[in-house]
Amino acid sequence: MRRTRIMRAGLAVLLLLGAGAAAGTVPATADEKAPASAGLLTAMQRDFGLSRQQAEARLAAERQATALEPKVRRTAGTSYGGSWFDAAEGTLTVAVTPDTSAAALREIRATGATVRTVAHSARELSATQARLDRLSAPEAVSSWHVDPKAGTVVVNIVDGRQRDNDVREFVARARKAGPVTVREVAAAPTTFAAGTVGGDPYYTGNVRCSIGFSVYGGFVTAGHCDQHTGSVYGWDRSYVGNFQGSSFPDNDYAWVNVGSGWWTVPVVLGWGTVSDQLVRGSNVAPVGSSICRSGSTTHWHCGTVLAMNETVNYSQGAVHQMTKTSVCAEPGDSGGSFISGDQAQGVTSGGWGNCSSGGETWFQPVNEILNRYGLTLHTA
């Protein structure tokens, strides 16, 4: 009984497709990938309004786009302006600046990718975002990220707060940093830790959080879950291990060693909504890709990758290089996994809204955590 529970809940590996293969991960090749589970396809049909055939076709197209992105990035070189997955067309769109060579354009188009010309390179937009990261943002400024489609850095401001003096001052300084567009969002982001509730995957201090996914020797999760009490306890309140490292704010990641009769498995828990998902690697899913989240409060939900490398302005401080999704989450889901297909993407950080009315959720990319602590993702 305990063995089964540990594998399913105690190590409810909540996966997120990572940005690029991390050191120590073992991403599967296209030929090695197992067909999508019936449960995953059912979830995509439910959350995206697709037929089974459409869901299968979208997953196949997303796998191709994920594999293609690093190739076209190298081909475009300094002219690269970003890329995203176009779900309607089932193709990768690549943004390039007007100075892109004819040879590079031919090579990119030969891959089947769509090419779009933009005014600013990804490097220029990243530099603008870095300048914004050095500013102190008021709480009404929710986040900011590079939007390759718009060719600008998007600053998200809580609805109705644009006229606040401190917001207007921040926006004025932001516009001096480079190309900036302001958008309104429904609410400010918060983290998803929760008070202690019986029967959930792990506890530390006075909070409950969710396990992210297995690494050799332990698991990764959200940094804000670390209450600096050291010890971590599983669903049955038995001792699991200790926090070995954590960072929040600036980052939102942590890792816990596993022992005392607990062990790691390369699985993301489906909670009976879908089949438990095997983890086979951590290749990064492009913007526009479908992605699912597993957490101890709201269990399994799916959505779309909305933006990458976004700076999120929590009340505790800014967290950088986050990925934004349309997936909902609630308190207690913090630290849980995001997964795209069979590729781990990251651990749940925070967001706004809930799984009744909807919302948005950010995750900390898993590959950054692996690289930071020299960890190896446990894969099937």
Side-chain angles (χ1 to χ4, degrees), residues 193 202-209 221-232 242-248 252-256 334-335 373:
Y202 85 86
Y203 304 89
T204 179
N206 63 348
V207 305
R208 165 175 60 85
C209 281
T221 186
H224 71 264
C225 292
D226 183 2
Q227 299 298 292
H228 304 290
T229 58
S231 299
V232 171
N242 289 359
F243 279 94
Q244 299 298 303
S246 68
S247 176
F248 180 80
D252 194 4
Y253 52 58
W255 83 280
V256 175
S334 277
Y373 294 115

Side-chain angles (χ1 to χ4, degrees), residues 28-30 33 60-74 92 283-286:
T29 65
K33 293 180 184 295
E62 289 175 353
R63 284 195 295 269
Q64 292 176 352
T66 298
L68 182 60
E69 193 278 336
K71 299 176 183 177
V72 296
R73 180 191 291 265
R74 287 192 298 269
L92 186 72
N283 293 324
V284 181

